[in-house]
Amino acid sequence: MSPSSNTSTTGGERHVAMRLDDAWLRFQTRLAIRRGRVETVIPYTGYGTTSWVRVLARVVLSDPRDTGRGSEAGPLKPLQEGMRGWRNFTSAPVAHAVVHVTIGDTVHDVEADRGGVVDARIPVTLASGWHTISLQSGESKTVEAPVRIVADGTEFGVVSDIDDTVMVTALPRPFLAAWNTFVLDEHARTPTPGMAVLYERIVRTLPSAPVLYLSTGAWNVAPTLSRFLSRNLYPAGPKLLTDWGPTRDRWFRSGQDHKRTSLERLAEEFPTMKWLLVGDDGQHDEAIYSEFAQRHPQNVRAIAIRQLSTGEAVLAGGRSKTGVRPMPGIPWIYAPDGAGMSARLVELGIIEEDARTADVPEQAQVPEETEGT
């Protein structure tokens, strides 16, 4: 989600914002119950190491026809498929739902937040690679979620922005959040030329390298983004998104803060990992990545920035005006597409000149995130 406002509020305004949000959630819940909605877990791709896993999911009240329950259960119709972003936004979250997470033969109970979002780190012992875990809450159906376990000793990974980096949005930034929430369909976006090939070359050169997609988008569009990435042959990977709505000090959550805190968390979780940070020059990525490199130079291998076209820059609200503070040993790459970035990464020795195929799972080869709304 692209925040509509980053202006801090006063104590009274904070109180009003949270009260309004609570009232909206109560209204959603009452309406969903009257309409016979059922508790549903929407699983997202998780990640972790051989000693822990980060479980990501969302619990909502959804139409039983969309979950395979009830006498009218069945697949969504084409029109409904296209309305999924809107349906997810209006679905009532189940605040503080208890979710049973089954990993191997062990069940762990975790709690969702007030927006129904599950974000829990669970101690486990798992081999590196892709695994499937199960999630269930209340009387919901049991669903499966893929998790990527990063091998011990892995020293390189990719963190990629989504909007205007792997997909061309062609929308004014003030309208982007509304489009993502109400309209977004994976067919309505265009992949950035050469970026899928670039990422595939990376994971074929370094099969152990995880690819994470960091975005200001809201969790309710995660399944649609997964379908877009799969359809356009991007490597499988977790999406690190945010929640919609007010906080105690803002009317809307800050997308920039979300990116900063997510990068800080990755630095803490993978202290020996060097990341290739990929973004675009439309507003904030350069500044955020530069700040992270200043704080954690040992965790940055290179920074790659996609240069927007003149038209894209206008829609994005202009190009970043924040000066980049270079760090010794951390190269910056600028190119308008994946082919240009690929050539520079070859020069830096990050990818091979002719990366051969390897046994790397594609997005479509791991269990897909599903929608329950």
Side-chain angles (χ1 to χ4, degrees):
M1 177 194 69
S2 296
S4 300
S5 169
N6 289 328
T7 304
S8 296
T9 58
T10 65
E13 288 175 323
R14 286 198 299 270
H15 181 59
V16 170
M18 298 300 289
R19 286 178 60 189
L20 289 174
D21 193 51
D22 286 340
W24 168 247
L25 293 178
R26 288 194 297 269
F27 170 77
Q28 280 185 299
T29 301
R30 289 196 300 270
L31 184 61
I33 292 174
R34 285 202 302 268
R35 292 181 172 179
R37 302 302 192 244
V38 296
E39 193 165 335
T40 303
V41 179
I42 305 175
Y44 305 135
T45 303
Y47 68 91
T49 69
T50 56
S51 60
W52 57 265
V53 63
R54 184 180 181 185
V55 178
L56 299 167
R58 186 166 176 250
V59 187
V60 299
L61 295 174
S62 68
D63 192 322
R65 292 173 297 179
D66 296 345
T67 64
R69 295 167 61 174
S71 59
E72 298 182 26
L76 291 173
K77 297 178 181 179
L79 177 61
Q80 292 173 310
E81 292 276 359
M83 293 295 288
R84 283 186 171 188
W86 177 83
R87 292 154 68 88
N88 271 328
F89 177 76
T90 57
S91 296
V94 182
H96 308 298
V98 175
V99 178
H100 311 297
V101 182
T102 302
I103 306 175
D105 297 325
T106 306
V107 179
H108 308 263
D109 287 348
V110 299
E111 184 176 330
D113 65 14
R114 64 187 296 274
V117 175
V118 174
D119 185 349
R121 176 165 160 164
I122 299 175
V124 296
T125 300
L126 290 173
S128 62
W130 286 99
H131 295 263
T132 300
I133 64 175
S134 299
L135 302 95
Q136 190 271 336
S137 177
E139 297 183 358
S140 76
K141 290 181 59 179
T142 298
V143 296
E144 295 182 337
V147 293
R148 170 69 185 270
I149 301 301
V150 179
D152 296 337
T154 300
E155 297 181 348
F156 179 83
V158 178
V159 175
S160 174
D161 179 42
I162 294 180
D163 285 315
D164 288 325
T165 300
V166 302
M167 65 165 65
V168 179
T169 59
L171 282 170
R173 285 293 169 92
F175 300 144
L176 188 56
W179 173 266
N180 282 339
T181 300
F182 294 106
V183 185
L184 180 64
D185 182 274
E186 69 269 22
H187 300 279
R189 291 295 178 84
T190 303
T192 303
M195 294 301 290
V197 174
L198 167 64
Y199 289 3
E200 185 59 22
R201 290 188 69 184
I202 291 173
V203 299
R204 287 179 176 175
T205 299
L206 298 165
S208 63
V211 179
L212 288 79
Y213 300 92
L214 174 59
S215 172
T216 57
W219 281 113
N220 60 346
V221 301
T224 307
L225 291 176
S226 292
R227 292 196 302 272
F228 173 88
L229 295 171
S230 175
R231 182 179 299 276
N232 292 286
L233 303 181
Y234 282 95
K239 270 68 66 182
L240 303 181
L241 307 180
T242 187
D243 198 7
W244 191 89
T247 65
R248 295 187 181 277
D249 61 349
R250 295 179 186 272
W251 279 93
F252 295 95
R253 298 179 190 272
S254 167
Q256 296 178 53
D257 287 349
H258 164 65
K259 285 191 171 183
R260 291 189 178 97
T261 57
S262 294
L263 289 171
E264 290 292 331
R265 177 167 182 164
L266 290 174
E268 179 182 351
E269 292 174 333
F270 301 98
T272 63
M273 185 83 75
K274 287 184 175 291
W275 298 99
L276 170 64
L277 306 177
V278 188
D280 63 80
D281 64 0
Q283 297 291 306
H284 304 299
D285 286 347
E286 289 173 291
I288 292 170
Y289 290 166
S290 180
E291 293 167 7
F292 180 74
Q294 293 289 326
R295 292 191 299 271
H296 304 280
Q298 74 280 6
N299 294 122
V300 182
R301 176 64 178 86
I303 298 172
I305 300 296
R306 178 183 173 245
Q307 297 168 306
L308 303 184
S309 67
T310 301
E312 290 169 341
V314 170
L315 291 172
R319 301 184 191 277
S320 173
K321 297 180 176 61
T322 303
V324 172
R325 298 173 60 191
M327 286 289 296
I330 300 178
W332 284 73
I333 297 169
Y334 285 87
D337 53 31
M341 289 186 185
S342 183
R344 291 287 289 115
L345 292 176
V346 168
E347 294 174 3
L348 294 172
I350 293 177
I351 60 177
E352 298 175 357
E353 181 72 34
D354 185 19
R356 301 298 181 185
T357 57
D359 186 18
V360 179
E362 300 283 353
Q363 184 83 16
Q365 291 178 280
V366 297
E368 294 185 357
E369 294 167 356
T370 58
E371 294 186 71
T373 57

